Amino acid sequence: MEYNDFSHKHNLTNHQVTEGQTIHCSRCERLCHNKVYACLQCNYFLHHYCANAVRYIKKHPSDPQHPLVLIPKPTYCSGSFICNACGQTGTSFSYCCVLCEIDLHIHCAFLPLEVSHKLHQHELKLYIGDPNKKDEVSDEFCCKICSQPLSTKHFCYLCLKCEFGAHTSCATNSVKPELYLDDASSAKPGTTSPEAVVANGLTAEDVIAETYNLQLQMQMAQGLAQLMASFNPSLN
């Protein structure tokens, strides 16, 4: 069975990762196991959940005001981004809101809202960090699983009743891509439902793409204004 990926020029086929193979997903950059979609000609591989990730998320808890759009490359001049969820660098696909400067790895965008862990008797709930908040890391506020500091700027799992906190990567390896599929405005790659067609013959994906282009233009305009102001202090 072949799979047509919007970001790759060749069709992908199912591939079984064999023992000893080291293959990284071209979208989330994490190791691949078991079955993946592959273009062996280009050495391009995708987890099934990465391949089927929705093109945009209308209301993600990290940014309820704007859609997060799946983009193949970071929008920054550095060619990389810092994930708001885990704090790690990414250089490939991400869910992005340019206006709010939110960037999420695919697997971080679909973290379960609640998880269980053998080291704690209660469910742990996903806490959405505040990237604009001053980091309040202290020796007392550490991950109860790995004992390393927890940052209030990034996502983590918490049981507030017991003051039990954990890094997302320590608490779970699960990814729940179905979390936002109930959102009628979210569309799988390569699909357009009849309900997604809006005025003037445009689809919902067209509207989101246009919104994203406008966001990029606004970011470029703001950057240009800041550059001009740096040369002319009277503009500040």
Side-chain angles (χ1 to χ4, degrees):
M1 179 180 177
E2 291 191 338
Y3 174 83
N4 183 16
D5 180 53
F6 79 96
S7 61
H8 193 69
K9 59 185 177 181
H10 302 133
N11 286 342
L12 309 182
T13 57
N14 273 307
H15 175 75
Q16 177 67 49
V17 180
T18 59
E19 187 176 352
Q21 274 190 304
T22 302
I23 292 175
H24 289 85
C25 176
S26 299
R27 283 199 178 165
C28 72
E29 303 175 287
R30 299 205 298 179
L31 280 172
C32 295
H33 304 283
N34 302 319
K35 289 185 178 181
V36 296
Y37 289 119
C39 174
L40 299 179
Q41 177 182 345
C42 301
N43 207 30
Y44 184 89
F45 303 93
L46 296 179
H47 292 118
H48 282 191
Y49 65 79
C50 286
N52 291 304
V54 292
R55 293 288 297 275
Y56 60 91
I57 303 170
K58 184 178 179 181
K59 290 184 179 180
H60 191 274
S62 65
D63 188 6
Q65 302 301 317
H66 308 115
L68 299 184
V69 181
L70 181 63
I71 59 173
K73 295 290 183 182
T75 60
Y76 306 104
C77 297
S78 63
S80 63
F81 66 91
I82 303 296
C83 178
N84 290 74
C86 66
Q88 300 299 311
T89 301
T91 58
S92 188
F93 284 77
S94 67
Y95 280 103
C96 172
C97 173
V98 179
L99 289 175
C100 300
E101 296 187 350
I102 290 177
D103 304 274
L104 301 176
H105 292 116
I106 292 179
H107 53 278
C108 290
F110 297 109
L111 287 167
L113 300 180
E114 292 186 353
V115 298
S116 299
H117 196 276
K118 62 183 180 181
L119 293 183
H120 193 66
Q121 67 270 34
H122 301 135
E123 289 285 306
L124 304 178
K125 294 187 177 182
L126 183 64
Y127 167 78
I128 305 299
D130 183 355
N132 298 314
K133 188 176 182 180
K134 184 179 179 181
D135 212 348
E136 297 175 354
V137 173
S138 67
D139 292 337
E140 290 77 24
F141 193 42
C142 293
C143 174
K144 299 297 185 181
I145 299 174
C146 71
S147 301
Q148 295 300 310
L150 275 176
S151 172
T152 54
K153 292 183 178 181
H154 306 305
F155 294 12
C156 62
Y157 283 101
L158 296 175
C159 173
L160 294 176
K161 179 180 179 181
C162 303
E163 297 185 355
F164 184 101
H167 296 114
T168 56
S169 58
C170 293
T172 183
N173 288 321
S174 296
V175 178
K176 298 290 185 182
E178 70 277 7
L179 271 178
Y180 307 105
L181 289 183
D182 289 337
D183 188 344
S185 66
S186 295
K188 291 184 179 180
T191 65
T192 303
S193 64
E195 294 80 5
V197 179
V198 295
N200 300 322
L202 297 177
T203 66
E205 284 193 5
D206 293 330
V207 174
I208 292 295
E210 183 61 27
T211 300
Y212 176 64
N213 287 332
L214 290 173
Q215 289 177 348
L216 284 178
Q217 292 174 25
M218 290 178 64
Q219 186 187 48
M220 292 173 64
Q222 290 171 354
L224 180 60
Q226 291 173 358
L227 180 63
M228 293 176 64
S230 67
F231 287 108
N232 188 354
S234 64
L235 295 177
N236 291 327

